[in-house]
Amino acid sequence: MSGPSAKFPSRGPFLAPGTAHPHPPLAAEDLAERLSVSTPEVLSWLKEGLPAQGGLIDPFAAANWLCWGRLERCPLLARRWQAYLRWFAPHVHGQDAPARYRVTQDHRLYLPHAVPGLSWYVPRIPVCQDQPEARVVERLSPRASGSPETTTVGPFERFTWSEPIAAPRVVGETEVLVTPRPLDLFPDHRMLVELVAALANEFRYEYRHHLPAEDPRDPLPIGRDGISGSCLDCALELGRRLDELGRPWRLCTGIIANSVVANPHFWLKVDTTIGWVPVDPSLPAIARMLGADWMAYVDAYVGGCDARRITLAEGTLHLPMIPGGATVGSSIGEAIADAPDDAAGKPGVAKLNAWACIDWVCGDCSWSFAESRE
């Protein structure tokens, strides 16, 4: 797998993070430090087939190589995935309960250099069916990054810098109540179970870099190991299969509500004979990857959902006037940067899409949660 400089071209309307990318390719000794293993151990992985380019290893590629049958080689990654599955176990066992979280959002935008101006759309936590209360404790606001104009735009807080900005960061805090959706057996439940089970059984869960120019309607490529991708890919693949059956669906976007395993997550809501119900196909796929009872996750997450995630959006959000078109991560933000100059040499006239990917939320966008059960 190639590194960010190759994956995120800076030409056209996109501003790549370049050396500011939060997950750059690493030398063996740096990856070893990141994964808490020895450098000789990482070198042995390379001899066994871990891909590298120019002597550098994409940490996403390393995680994927380890997750399928080699987790015992990296105890740190194994513990992380075990913690991830344990977080959802109460729902799988029918023991989940409403949860009230105090959520701190701490967002950074990874720019390769200062830009003359910037408009950054950051999501606010909404009220929705499974999230009946959301009270702002501290409004999203900038930290040590100038004095932007702040306005509310639909589900986003927009920060607009008219002066040069290099490292924007915003922080806010919200108290939110999340209620679990217990499993409900409805007439078309069995059909959805069979659809999700078939997908989870063939889907190879993997980390990957998502590019803004991707068309989410494109079918997933079929590789040596079948179809593969992230939770977003898995959710969209289920959506495509539902399209073939003429079943309406919505993409849901959120964050796993655990400070240790906080990461972006995508799932669906599907129109059924009893209305819109949640369906999460990637948790069964992840359970299969880890050798767990993945059919238990299919049963728990077709028509039911946990109180262990924070919803950011239900349905596709499209902001107008995004250079190059709205990104795959529109539900969790967008950013428009002024180019240093346009063809005529006028500063700030040309616009660039500075939302290079959704990688920023994979550990480097610091969501933290304080929980109190009701």
Side-chain angles (χ1 to χ4, degrees), residues 4 20-39 42 45 57-63 66 73-80 110 207 209 359-365:
H21 195 284
H23 303 284
L26 301 170
E29 57 269 26
D30 296 322
L31 182 65
E33 181 178 0
R34 181 166 178 167
L35 295 179
S36 296
V37 297
S38 68
T39 299
V42 173
W45 300 347
I57 307 163
D58 188 316
F60 281 25
L66 289 163
R73 307 283 294 275
C74 183
L76 177 66
L77 190 59
R79 288 195 299 271
R80 175 182 168 84
Y110 295 95
Y207 293 113
H209 300 290
D359 298 352
W360 64 276
V361 274
C362 298
D364 289 85
C365 172

Side-chain angles (χ1 to χ4, degrees), residues 332-351:
I332 52 176
E334 292 284 7
I336 305 172
D338 293 342
D341 57 69
D342 68 356
K346 297 179 180 178
V349 175
K351 302 292 183 181

Side-chain angles (χ1 to χ4, degrees), residues 64-149:
N64 296 335
W65 189 83
L66 289 163
C67 282
W68 286 91
R70 303 181 184 91
L71 268 178
E72 75 282 355
R73 307 283 294 275
C74 183
L76 177 66
L77 190 59
R79 288 195 299 271
R80 175 182 168 84
W81 275 119
Q82 289 160 5
Y84 192 84
L85 278 190
R86 280 199 304 272
W87 183 240
F88 300 105
H91 176 73
V92 175
H93 298 145
Q95 299 170 349
D96 209 1
R100 190 177 296 276
Y101 301 97
R102 201 175 184 95
V103 183
T104 300
Q105 294 174 249
D106 188 349
H107 301 274
R108 300 173 181 86
L109 189 63
Y110 295 95
L111 301 173
H113 49 69
V115 294
L118 177 73
S119 291
W120 186 13
Y121 296 82
V122 180
R124 291 178 287 107
I125 297 175
V127 170
C128 56
Q129 182 179 5
D130 304 319
Q131 207 162 269
E133 297 177 20
R135 180 180 66 87
V136 175
V137 177
E138 179 187 352
R139 186 178 176 184
L140 285 162
S141 59
R143 293 290 189 275
S145 52
S147 301
E149 176 187 350

Side-chain angles (χ1 to χ4, degrees), residues 216-261:
R217 297 167 298 180
D218 291 340
L220 288 176
I222 301 176
R224 181 183 60 187
D225 299 307
I227 56 174
S228 64
S230 67
C231 58
L232 175 59
D233 295 315
C234 193
L236 292 175
E237 177 62 21
L238 179 60
R240 281 187 282 270
R241 297 183 185 195
L242 288 165
D243 284 340
E244 293 175 355
L245 299 174
R247 303 300 296 262
W249 57 276
R250 300 170 182 160
L251 181 68
C252 297
T253 305
I255 298 289
I256 303 306
N258 182 304
S259 300
V260 176
V261 298

